[in-house]
Amino acid sequence: MSGWLRVAGLGPGDAALVTPEVSAVLAEATDVVGYLPYVARVAERPGLRRHASDNRVELDRARHALELAAEGRRVAVVSSGDPGVFAMASALFEALEAGPGSWAGLDIAVLPGISAMLAAAARLGAPLGHDFCAINLSDNLKPWALVERRLRLAAEADFAMAFYNPRSKSRPHQFARALEILRAACGPERLVSFARAVSSPEERLETVTLSAARPEMADMRTLVIVGNSATRRAGRFVYTPRQAA
Ligand code: SAH
């Protein structure tokens, strides 16, 4: 039987938010490859090999997955949310590009998943209802100065913004700096939502103004959404009108 490779998004956490397409692939796979907590979300069964690795070795992991598929195995590379959003799909193509020419003939497909910003936005109401952008606040793969520049320009363009990887223990000061930049650019009344562990039992949602926002409100399980100048509350919901302010 010939091998294949699928880069699959597992959604934000709840099994009900995994697409039927991804479930079908997980049921047929011989190997699951990914960052440990994501691989752990795939149930064990006879005949399934689970290859879990650390978070910082995406390229090695991608290469390994390609090698397995080239050997004829049926490989699912898993990411949380959507695999194309700050996740494994790009690493896979990077490894493919750098690898042997024979890999070009492999049967490869990317299967979408519900990204954290979409799950968070739905829980909050519709804060991304007009033009918006998504920014990864981690400076692992880009200089912090570029993050600051993008924050300023996105604020100037009046985009709503979704922030991934807002704050980690290894870089606690950067999110405080990001809030400072946003307060200066958007004003103290702008709404900001913190959506933590969306669709899991620990889910927590909180919306405040930028003046009341504190860095401790976010951690690595939080997706942060800053509204545009028209974003407002409607009862317990937050939404952005579809027309420009
Ligand atoms: N590919 C993923 C994102 C990976 S980056 C996706 O499309 O969702 C990891 C970041 O995603 C986390 O730091 C957090 O900001 C966000 N995130 C992932 N799952 C989340 C969840 N259930 N609730 C809130 N934020 C989440």
Side-chain angles (χ1 to χ4, degrees), residues 11-13 38 41 79-88 113-117 119-120 136 163-167 195-200 219-224:
Y38 306 153
R41 279 170 55 187
S79 283
S80 76
D82 181 272
V85 178
F86 310 130
M88 279 305 293
I114 297 176
S115 190
M117 69 178 171
N136 184 346
F163 300 134
Y164 287 77
N165 297 310
R167 185 164 171 267
R196 183 171 191 280
V198 173
S199 87
S200 86
D219 64 9
M220 283 306 273
R221 294 189 73 191
T222 309
L223 190 287
V224 180

Side-chain angles (χ1 to χ4, degrees), residues 63 138 143 173 196 212 215 225 228 244:
R63 225 175 280 122
S138 163
H173 307 301
R196 183 171 191 280
I225 295 181
N228 74 9

